[in-house]
Amino acid sequence: MSYEYTSVSFGDEEEDEFYDKTQEYSLKELTIYAIDCRPSMLEPDHNGDIPIIVTLQSIRSKVIDRIDSRPNDQVGIILFGTTEKNNLQDKGHIYILQQIDLIDAPRIKELDLLINNVNLIKDRYGSSDAEFPFSDLLWVCSDIIANTNAKQYIKRIIIITNNEDPTNGNAQHRKTAIQRARDLKDSGTEIILFGLMESPDDFFDPNLFYSDIVVFSDSDDKQEEKDEFDEKILSSIGNLRDLFDKIKTFQTSARSEFRLPFEIGPNLTIGIRGYNMVLEQKIGMPKYYFAEGEQTQEVKSITRWRCVDTNEFLTPIDIKKAFPYGGEDVVFTEEDVAKIQTVNKPGLLVLGFRDAVLLKSHYQVAHPYFIYPDESQYKGSKSAFFLLLNSMHKKEKMAICSFVRRVNTIPKLVALLPQAKKLDELGNQIDPPGFQLIILPYADEIRQIPPHTEVQDYQEAADAMKPIIHKLKIEGGYDPIKYHNPCKYLTMLLPY
C-alpha cells in the first residue's frame, strides 16, 4: 500500500498565529447579583439618585453588553432586605428576582419596569431594616449554584450594598456568615463587594464585617490570597456615581496563557505567568444548519483521508510527514519533526537592558502579554520579580529577552516594559504591577514609507475634517475594558 505524504515546511511557522485565541474566553460565567433592598437603598441621595435604580441600570447595561460579547453567560438577581420572600429554603427577607439563566428579552424588560418605577419595587417586594442572618443570603446563593450545572463556569456572587455591617454586631450571625463564605470560596465561588458611600462625607468601613468574606486591594489576608492575580477580582468601595463604571468595567478573571521559567541571570530563575489582557474581538464564524423534519440541527464537518491507490480511508497512524529533498520524499516521525523545530526550551531569558525611551510605538507589531510572578514554580519568585520590576521602573529601563512560548516554536526577541501599580483616588487597584512583554519585529517586518508627494494646500481639507476627528475622539482616552467593539462605538458617533 502506498501513502500520500503531507509535505511539512520547517521554520516558517508563525507561533502567534496558531494558538487558540478563544481558549482564554472558553469558560462561561455564572453571576449572581445580590442587591440590598433596605429603605436607605430606595431613597434619593444628595444628588437625587436612587441607589437601587442606579444599581439596576448598571446591571442592565452590563447584561446588554454581554449579549454581544459573551452570550452564553448566565445571570441571576437576588434582592435582600425585603419584606417578601421567594426562595426554596423559605428564608426571610430574601427574594429571588431572576433565577440563574441565559440573558433574554423578557428578563431585560422586567428590569426596565423596575427601573422606571421605584414604587413597583416597594409594592412587590417591600423594604425592611429588620435584622436577619446574612448567612441565609449566602446559603440561598450557594443552593442556586449547586442546582446549576456549573462545572465549566466561573462562579461569582456580587454584593451591592451601602450597609457596612449587615449583622449589626451580632456575633453569632457574623460567625455563621464567615463560615458560609469560606465554604463558597472552597467550592470555587468568588464573592465580590461593591460598597456604596451614601455621600462624599460618609465612609464605608469594610473592617466591620466584609473584610472577613471578600478580598480588597489592601487586605491583610494571606499573601497567596492577596497576590493571586488570576484568581481574584478585588472588591471596591465608592460613591453611587462610580457604581455604573465599576460594574460595567469589571471583567472576567484573567486566565494565564502560559507558565514559563524566567531566567534573569546565571543560577537565578523564577516562575512567571503570561496573560492576554486585550484581544481583538472578531465576528464569529457562521454556522451551518440543516432541517430534519421539524427540527433544525447544526452541521458538523468531518475530515477524512483516502489512500490514492486503494481508495481506503486512512487512520492517523497511516499518515506520515515528509520533506522533499533531492527529488525524493524524506519521511519524518512526529518526534523527528519536534526535534528539528526545537531551538530552545520554553522560557524567558534576559539578554540585556536598554533605556525604555528606545522602545518606539511602531515596534509593537503584535499584542503584548502581561507577565506576573508564579510562586508555584519557584519559591521566592514574587520577591525577586518585584525587586527587578521596581529597580527597572525606577531607572526607566527595559529588558531585552529571548522568548520561547512553547515547544517547537522559534525564539522571539521581546522587550519587558515595567508597569507600576495604579490606584484610583479611593485606593482601589486599576492596573496591577508587572511587565508588559512586547514582541519586537525584525528589520524586514518594518516597511519603509513608499514614495509620495506632499500636498501643499491642505488647510481647507484639514478644517473640514476637524469636526469629524473631534467626534471620533473618546473623552478621557480609550479604555478597552469599557468598549468591547470600538468600531461599533465610534460608528454611532459619526455624523450622517
Side-chain angles (χ1 to χ4, degrees), residues 130-184:
E131 182 185 338
F132 69 96
F134 193 77
S135 58
D136 288 354
L137 172 63
L138 301 179
W139 184 271
V140 171
C141 293
S142 175
D143 189 68
I144 292 175
I145 294 173
N147 291 332
T148 307
N149 186 17
K151 292 183 179 180
Q152 299 300 321
Y153 281 80
I154 297 173
K155 296 165 287 186
R156 183 174 297 134
I157 300 172
I158 300 177
I159 302 171
I160 304 172
T161 180
N162 59 3
N163 182 14
E164 54 193 7
D165 184 10
T167 65
N168 199 25
N170 189 311
Q172 183 60 32
H173 288 177
R174 179 188 181 89
K175 180 180 178 180
T176 55
I178 293 174
Q179 183 57 50
R180 193 66 212 154
R182 289 174 179 170
D183 293 341
L184 282 166

Side-chain angles (χ1 to χ4, degrees), residues 181 185 189-194 206 209-228 231-237 428-429:
K185 291 178 183 178
T189 302
E190 297 180 55
I191 303 177
I192 303 161
L193 170 73
F194 287 128
F209 173 70
Y210 283 105
S211 60
D212 291 319
I213 67 170
V214 300
V215 179
F216 292 88
S217 58
D218 57 349
S219 174
D220 293 329
D221 290 344
K222 297 179 181 179
Q223 186 73 13
E224 307 87 72
E225 188 177 35
K226 182 171 63 175
D227 288 340
E228 199 64 33
E231 294 292 341
K232 303 292 181 185
I233 292 179
L234 299 180
S235 300
S236 59
I237 296 169
N428 300 314
Q429 180 174 283

Side-chain angles (χ1 to χ4, degrees), residues 360-496:
K360 307 302 181 183
S361 59
H362 62 273
Y363 290 171
Q364 186 169 319
V365 295
H367 68 82
Y369 294 104
F370 180 78
I371 303 300
Y372 199 77
D374 181 16
E375 195 78 12
S376 64
Q377 296 184 56
Y378 297 92
K379 196 70 175 177
S381 292
K382 288 174 182 170
S383 300
F385 182 91
F386 287 115
L387 282 173
L388 177 64
L389 174 70
N390 295 333
S391 178
M392 289 176 58
H393 184 265
K394 182 179 180 181
K395 296 179 180 180
E396 298 182 347
K397 296 288 185 178
M398 65 177 175
I400 305 299
C401 305
S402 172
F403 174 56
V404 181
R405 185 172 176 268
R406 61 170 181 255
V407 294
N408 305 337
T409 55
I410 301 173
K412 294 182 179 293
L413 285 177
V414 300
L416 288 187
L417 195 64
Q419 172 180 296
K421 179 191 291 187
K422 184 178 179 182
L423 305 175
D424 63 14
E425 63 276 3
L426 297 173
N428 300 314
Q429 180 174 283
I430 300 175
D431 294 325
F435 284 106
Q436 293 288 341
L437 187 151
I438 300 172
I439 300 174
L440 298 176
Y442 293 102
D444 56 357
E445 292 182 287
I446 302 178
R447 294 175 295 178
Q448 299 297 322
I449 299 176
H452 63 284
T453 57
E454 295 185 3
V455 179
Q456 300 298 326
D457 187 15
Y458 62 89
Q459 189 59 45
E460 183 179 350
D463 293 338
M465 284 297 296
K466 284 181 180 179
I468 298 177
I469 298 298
H470 180 73
K471 283 284 186 180
L472 292 174
K473 184 178 180 181
I474 299 175
E475 296 297 332
Y478 170 61
D479 184 352
I481 299 177
K482 292 183 179 180
Y483 311 105
H484 289 273
N485 189 342
C487 292
K488 180 176 71 175
Y489 176 77
L490 293 177
T491 301
M492 293 188 296
L493 298 180
L494 285 173
Y496 292 100

Side-chain angles (χ1 to χ4, degrees), residues 254-265:
R255 299 175 59 225
S256 58
E257 279 285 312
F258 53 81
R259 297 186 182 188
L260 295 174
F262 179 21
E263 187 176 344
I264 302 174

Side-chain angles (χ1 to χ4, degrees), residues 29 33 56-73 75 103-104 108 111 244-252 281 478-486 488-489 492:
E29 286 189 21
Y33 291 96
L56 293 175
Q57 288 173 337
S58 304
I59 294 173
R60 183 189 185 279
S61 176
K62 183 68 175 180
V63 298
I64 287 289
D65 182 67
R66 284 299 168 100
I67 292 176
D68 290 331
S69 59
R70 301 177 62 91
N72 294 322
D73 288 354
V75 175
I103 304 164
D104 56 21
I108 296 174
L111 292 179
F244 188 89
D245 285 338
K246 288 180 185 291
I247 290 183
K248 187 171 179 60
T249 58
F250 90 85
Q251 57 180 347
T252 307
Q281 182 177 340
Y478 170 61
D479 184 352
I481 299 177
K482 292 183 179 180
Y483 311 105
H484 289 273
N485 189 342
K488 180 176 71 175
Y489 176 77
M492 293 188 296

